[in-house]
Amino acid sequence: DQQVKQNSPSLSVQEGRISILNCDYTNSMFDYFLWYKKYPAEGPTFLISISSIKDKNEDGRFTVFLNKSAKHLSLHIVPSQPGDSAVYFCAASYSGAGSYQLTFGKGTKLSVIP
Amino acid sequence: DAGVTQSPTHLIKTRGQQVTLRCSPKSGHDTVSWYQQALGQGPQFIFQYYEEEERQRGNFPDRFSGHQFPNYSSELNVNALLLGDSALYLCASSLLLSGGTDTQYFGPGTRLTVL
């Protein structure tokens, strides 16, 4: 049973346009969400996170939106650049005692076309 | 400021052998987690170490074991290797905060191939 789902395996976007990557979760105990970017032959790089007490967090070109009622979050990249081409992973955790792991989705491969 | 480092980069073993992978956490971090990433999948949590003890374990058999040293570095050991253990093994470090752990930062990974 996958608790974090990224239903789009891939996404292509024109350079300069907005990229929107989506993520759904099923475990209502999750209260902290992260996005990681991964290039081939490298480890995941932390991008941005959001706590469940917020519905939006911004960092430069990256914005994460959280809709708790829908158990859905999205990552917006504006404007998209060719260097953004990578696999993006959504991850979730909860701060309850005894739980420290990150649960990942399967990833979405973003291709930004020049 | 050195990030998370892992060694070796690549490793080839045969079925039944044993392997040890190593990780040094980011400077200032005291917690190390290990993940397995199979091809086409997201990373899956193996276990986490803090204060030299295993604090939480994911759904992995006892063939997977680990250790954390006083300098916070860590090892992942896998015994009796199976073909299905072929994967990218990722180490992540973080800092234990009062309300839980901080963001986890990943190393480049060790690519293990079991023949």
Coordinates of all heavy atoms in Angstrom, one line a residue, chain A residues 2 32 34 36 38 41-46 49 89 94-95 98-107, chain B residues 35 37 40-43 45 48 55-58 88 90 96 99 101-109:
Chain A
Q2 N 0.8 2.0 -1.1 CA 1.6 3.2 -1.2 C 1.0 4.4 -0.5 O -0.1 4.8 -0.8 CB 1.8 3.6 -2.7 CG 3.3 3.5 -3.1 CD 3.5 4.1 -4.4 OE1 2.7 4.0 -5.3 NE2 4.5 4.9 -4.5
Y32 N 4.6 16.6 7.9 CA 5.7 17.4 7.3 C 6.0 16.8 6.0 O 6.1 15.5 5.8 CB 6.9 17.2 8.3 CG 8.1 18.0 7.9 CD1 8.0 19.4 7.8 CD2 9.4 17.5 7.7 CE1 9.1 20.2 7.5 CE2 10.5 18.3 7.4 CZ 10.4 19.6 7.3 OH 11.4 20.4 7.0
L34 N 8.2 17.1 2.1 CA 9.4 17.6 1.5 C 9.4 17.3 0.0 O 8.8 16.3 -0.4 CB 10.7 17.0 2.1 CG 10.8 17.0 3.7 CD1 10.1 15.8 4.3 CD2 12.2 17.1 4.1
Y36 N 12.3 16.6 -3.0 CA 13.7 16.4 -3.4 C 13.9 16.3 -4.9 O 13.0 15.8 -5.6 CB 14.3 15.1 -2.8 CG 14.5 15.1 -1.3 CD1 13.4 14.8 -0.4 CD2 15.7 15.4 -0.7 CE1 13.6 14.8 1.0 CE2 15.9 15.4 0.7 CZ 14.8 15.1 1.5 OH 15.0 15.1 2.9
K38 N 16.5 14.9 -7.9 CA 17.5 13.9 -8.1 C 18.0 13.9 -9.5 O 17.2 13.6 -10.5 CB 17.1 12.5 -7.7 CG 18.2 11.5 -7.6 CD 17.7 10.1 -7.1 CE 18.9 9.1 -7.0 NZ 19.6 8.9 -8.3
A41 N 22.9 9.4 -11.1 CA 24.2 9.1 -10.4 C 24.4 10.1 -9.3 O 25.6 10.2 -8.8 CB 25.3 9.2 -11.4
E42 N 23.4 10.8 -8.8 CA 23.6 11.6 -7.6 C 22.5 11.2 -6.5 O 21.5 10.6 -6.9 CB 23.5 13.1 -7.9 CG 24.6 13.6 -8.8 CD 24.5 15.1 -9.0 OE1 23.7 15.8 -8.3 OE2 25.2 15.6 -9.9
G43 N 22.7 11.6 -5.3 CA 21.7 11.4 -4.3 C 20.7 12.5 -4.4 O 20.9 13.6 -5.0
P44 N 19.5 12.3 -3.8 CA 18.5 13.3 -3.8 C 18.9 14.6 -3.1 O 19.6 14.6 -2.1 CB 17.3 12.7 -3.0 CG 17.6 11.2 -3.0 CD 19.1 11.1 -3.1
T45 N 18.6 15.8 -3.7 CA 18.9 17.1 -3.1 C 17.7 17.7 -2.6 O 16.7 17.8 -3.3 CB 19.5 18.0 -4.2 OG1 20.7 17.3 -4.7 CG2 19.9 19.3 -3.6
F46 N 17.7 18.1 -1.3 CA 16.5 18.8 -0.7 C 16.2 20.1 -1.4 O 17.1 20.9 -1.7 CB 16.8 19.0 0.8 CG 15.8 19.9 1.5 CD1 14.5 19.5 1.7 CD2 16.1 21.2 1.8 CE1 13.6 20.3 2.3 CE2 15.2 22.0 2.4 CZ 13.9 21.6 2.7
S49 N 10.4 22.4 1.8 CA 9.5 21.6 2.7 C 8.3 22.4 3.2 O 8.3 23.7 3.0 CB 10.3 21.1 3.9 OG 10.8 22.2 4.7
F89 N 11.1 13.9 -6.3 CA 10.4 13.0 -5.3 C 9.7 13.9 -4.2 O 10.3 14.8 -3.7 CB 11.5 12.1 -4.6 CG 12.1 11.1 -5.5 CD1 13.3 11.3 -6.1 CD2 11.4 9.9 -5.7 CE1 13.9 10.3 -6.9 CE2 12.0 8.9 -6.6 CZ 13.2 9.2 -7.2
Y94 N 6.0 12.1 9.9 CA 5.2 12.7 10.9 C 6.0 12.7 12.2 O 6.9 11.9 12.4 CB 3.9 12.0 11.1 CG 3.9 10.5 11.5 CD1 3.8 10.1 12.8 CD2 3.9 9.6 10.5 CE1 3.8 8.8 13.1 CE2 3.9 8.2 10.8 CZ 3.8 7.8 12.1 OH 3.8 6.5 12.5
S95 N 5.7 13.7 13.0 CA 6.6 14.0 14.2 C 6.2 13.2 15.4 O 6.7 13.4 16.5 CB 6.5 15.5 14.5 OG 5.2 15.9 14.6
G98 N 8.6 8.0 18.0 CA 9.0 6.7 17.4 C 8.9 6.6 15.9 O 9.1 5.6 15.3
S99 N 8.6 7.8 15.2 CA 8.6 7.7 13.8 C 9.5 8.8 13.2 O 9.3 10.0 13.4 CB 7.2 8.0 13.3 OG 7.2 7.9 11.9
Y100 N 10.5 8.4 12.5 CA 11.5 9.3 12.0 C 11.7 9.1 10.5 O 12.5 9.8 9.9 CB 12.8 9.2 12.8 CG 12.6 9.1 14.3 CD1 12.6 7.9 14.9 CD2 12.3 10.3 15.0 CE1 12.3 7.8 16.3 CE2 12.1 10.2 16.4 CZ 12.1 9.0 17.0 OH 11.9 8.9 18.3
Q101 N 11.1 8.2 9.9 CA 11.4 7.9 8.5 C 10.7 8.8 7.6 O 9.7 9.4 7.9 CB 11.0 6.4 8.2 CG 9.5 6.2 8.2 CD 9.1 4.8 7.9 OE1 9.9 3.8 8.3 NE2 8.0 4.6 7.3
L102 N 11.3 8.9 6.4 CA 10.7 9.6 5.3 C 10.0 8.5 4.4 O 10.6 7.5 4.1 CB 11.7 10.4 4.4 CG 12.3 11.6 5.1 CD1 13.3 12.2 4.2 CD2 11.3 12.6 5.5
T103 N 8.8 8.8 4.0 CA 8.1 7.9 3.0 C 8.0 8.6 1.7 O 7.5 9.8 1.6 CB 6.7 7.6 3.5 OG1 6.8 6.9 4.8 CG2 6.0 6.6 2.5
F104 N 8.6 8.0 0.7 CA 8.7 8.7 -0.6 C 7.7 8.2 -1.6 O 7.3 7.0 -1.6 CB 10.1 8.4 -1.2 CG 11.2 9.2 -0.6 CD1 11.8 8.7 0.6 CD2 11.7 10.3 -1.2 CE1 12.9 9.5 1.1 CE2 12.7 11.0 -0.7 CZ 13.3 10.6 0.5
G105 N 7.4 9.0 -2.6 CA 6.7 8.6 -3.8 C 7.7 8.0 -4.8 O 8.9 8.0 -4.5
K106 N 7.2 7.6 -5.9 CA 8.0 6.9 -6.9 C 8.7 8.0 -7.8 O 9.6 7.6 -8.6 CB 7.2 6.0 -7.8 CG 6.7 4.8 -7.1 CD 6.1 3.8 -8.1 CE 5.7 2.5 -7.3 NZ 5.1 1.5 -8.2
G107 N 8.4 9.2 -7.7 CA 9.1 10.3 -8.5 C 8.4 10.6 -9.8 O 7.6 9.8 -10.4
Chain B
Y35 N 18.6 4.3 3.3 CA 17.5 4.0 2.4 C 18.0 3.1 1.3 O 19.1 3.2 0.8 CB 16.9 5.3 1.8 CG 16.2 6.2 2.8 CD1 16.9 7.0 3.6 CD2 14.8 6.2 2.9 CE1 16.3 7.8 4.6 CE2 14.1 7.0 3.8 CZ 14.9 7.8 4.6 OH 14.2 8.6 5.5
Q37 N 17.1 2.3 -2.7 CA 16.3 2.8 -3.9 C 16.5 1.8 -5.1 O 17.6 1.7 -5.7 CB 16.7 4.2 -4.3 CG 15.8 4.7 -5.5 CD 16.1 6.1 -5.9 OE1 17.2 6.6 -5.6 NE2 15.2 6.7 -6.6
G40 N 13.5 2.7 -10.7 CA 12.2 3.1 -10.9 C 11.3 3.4 -9.7 O 10.1 3.6 -9.8
Q41 N 11.9 3.3 -8.5 CA 11.2 3.4 -7.3 C 11.7 4.6 -6.5 O 12.8 5.1 -6.7 CB 11.3 2.1 -6.4 CG 10.8 0.9 -7.1 CD 9.3 0.9 -7.4 OE1 8.5 1.3 -6.5 NE2 8.9 0.5 -8.6
G42 N 10.9 5.0 -5.5 CA 11.5 6.0 -4.6 C 12.3 5.3 -3.5 O 12.2 4.1 -3.3
P43 N 13.1 6.1 -2.8 CA 13.9 5.5 -1.7 C 13.0 4.8 -0.6 O 11.9 5.4 -0.3 CB 14.7 6.7 -1.1 CG 14.7 7.6 -2.2 CD 13.4 7.5 -3.0
F45 N 12.9 3.3 3.3 CA 13.6 3.5 4.6 C 14.0 2.1 5.1 O 13.2 1.2 5.2 CB 12.7 4.1 5.6 CG 13.2 4.3 7.0 CD1 14.1 5.2 7.3 CD2 12.7 3.5 8.0 CE1 14.6 5.4 8.6 CE2 13.2 3.6 9.3 CZ 14.1 4.6 9.6
Q48 N 17.3 3.9 11.1 CA 17.9 5.2 11.5 C 18.7 5.0 12.8 O 18.2 4.2 13.6 CB 16.8 6.2 11.7 CG 17.4 7.6 12.0 CD 16.3 8.7 12.3 OE1 15.8 8.8 13.4 NE2 16.0 9.4 11.2
R55 N 17.2 3.4 16.1 CA 16.1 4.1 16.7 C 14.7 3.7 16.0 O 13.7 3.6 16.7 CB 16.2 5.6 16.6 CG 15.3 6.4 17.4 CD 15.8 7.8 17.6 NE 15.8 8.6 16.4 CZ 15.6 9.9 16.4 NH1 15.4 10.5 17.5 NH2 15.7 10.5 15.2
Q56 N 14.8 3.4 14.7 CA 13.6 2.9 14.0 C 14.1 2.1 12.9 O 15.1 2.3 12.3 CB 12.8 4.1 13.5 CG 11.4 3.7 13.0 CD 10.7 4.8 12.4 OE1 11.2 5.9 12.2 NE2 9.4 4.5 12.0
R57 N 13.2 1.1 12.5 CA 13.6 0.2 11.5 C 12.4 0.0 10.5 O 11.2 0.0 11.0 CB 13.9 -1.2 12.0 CG 14.4 -2.2 11.0 CD 14.8 -3.5 11.7 NE 15.4 -4.4 10.7 CZ 16.7 -4.4 10.5 NH1 17.5 -3.7 11.3 NH2 17.3 -5.3 9.6
G58 N 12.7 0.0 9.2 CA 11.7 -0.2 8.2 C 11.4 -1.7 8.0 O 11.9 -2.5 8.8
L88 N 20.5 1.1 -5.3 CA 21.3 2.3 -4.9 C 21.0 2.4 -3.4 O 19.8 2.5 -3.0 CB 20.8 3.6 -5.6 CG 21.6 4.8 -5.3 CD1 23.0 4.8 -5.7 CD2 20.9 6.1 -5.9
L90 N 21.3 4.7 -0.2 CA 21.4 6.1 0.2 C 21.6 6.3 1.7 O 20.8 5.7 2.5 CB 20.3 6.9 -0.3 CG 20.1 7.0 -1.9 CD1 18.7 7.4 -2.2 CD2 21.1 7.9 -2.5
L96 N 18.8 15.9 15.3 CA 17.7 15.6 16.2 C 17.3 16.9 16.9 O 18.1 17.5 17.6 CB 18.0 14.5 17.2 CG 16.9 14.3 18.2 CD1 15.7 13.7 17.5 CD2 17.4 13.3 19.3
G99 N 11.4 18.6 18.7 CA 10.1 18.2 18.2 C 10.2 17.1 17.2 O 9.2 16.7 16.6
T101 N 13.1 15.1 14.2 CA 14.3 15.3 13.4 C 14.1 16.4 12.4 O 13.1 16.7 11.9 CB 14.8 14.0 12.7 OG1 13.7 13.5 11.9 CG2 15.3 13.0 13.7
D102 N 15.3 17.0 12.1 CA 15.3 18.1 11.1 C 15.3 17.4 9.7 O 15.3 16.2 9.5 CB 16.5 18.9 11.3 CG 16.5 20.3 10.6 OD1 15.4 20.6 10.0 OD2 17.4 21.0 10.7
T103 N 15.3 18.3 8.6 CA 15.4 17.8 7.3 C 16.5 16.9 7.0 O 17.6 17.1 7.6 CB 15.5 19.0 6.3 OG1 14.3 19.8 6.5 CG2 15.6 18.6 4.9
Q104 N 16.3 15.8 6.3 CA 17.3 14.8 6.0 C 18.0 15.2 4.7 O 17.4 15.5 3.7 CB 16.7 13.4 5.9 CG 16.1 12.9 7.2 CD 15.6 11.5 7.2 OE1 16.0 10.7 6.3 NE2 14.8 11.2 8.1
Y105 N 19.4 15.2 4.8 CA 20.2 15.5 3.6 C 20.9 14.2 3.2 O 21.5 13.5 4.0 CB 21.2 16.6 4.0 CG 20.5 17.9 4.2 CD1 20.1 18.2 5.5 CD2 20.4 18.8 3.2 CE1 19.4 19.4 5.7 CE2 19.8 20.1 3.5 CZ 19.3 20.3 4.7 OH 18.6 21.5 5.0
F106 N 20.9 14.0 1.8 CA 21.3 12.7 1.3 C 22.8 12.8 0.7 O 23.2 13.8 0.2 CB 20.4 12.2 0.2 CG 19.1 11.7 0.7 CD1 18.1 12.5 1.0 CD2 18.9 10.3 0.9 CE1 16.9 12.0 1.5 CE2 17.8 9.8 1.4 CZ 16.7 10.7 1.7
G107 N 23.4 11.7 0.8 CA 24.7 11.5 0.1 C 24.5 11.0 -1.3 O 23.3 10.8 -1.7
P108 N 25.6 10.8 -2.0 CA 25.5 10.4 -3.5 C 25.1 9.0 -3.7 O 24.6 8.6 -4.8 CB 26.9 10.7 -4.0 CG 27.8 10.5 -2.8 CD 27.0 11.0 -1.6
G109 N 25.2 8.2 -2.6 CA 24.7 6.8 -2.7 C 25.8 5.8 -3.1 O 26.9 6.2 -3.6

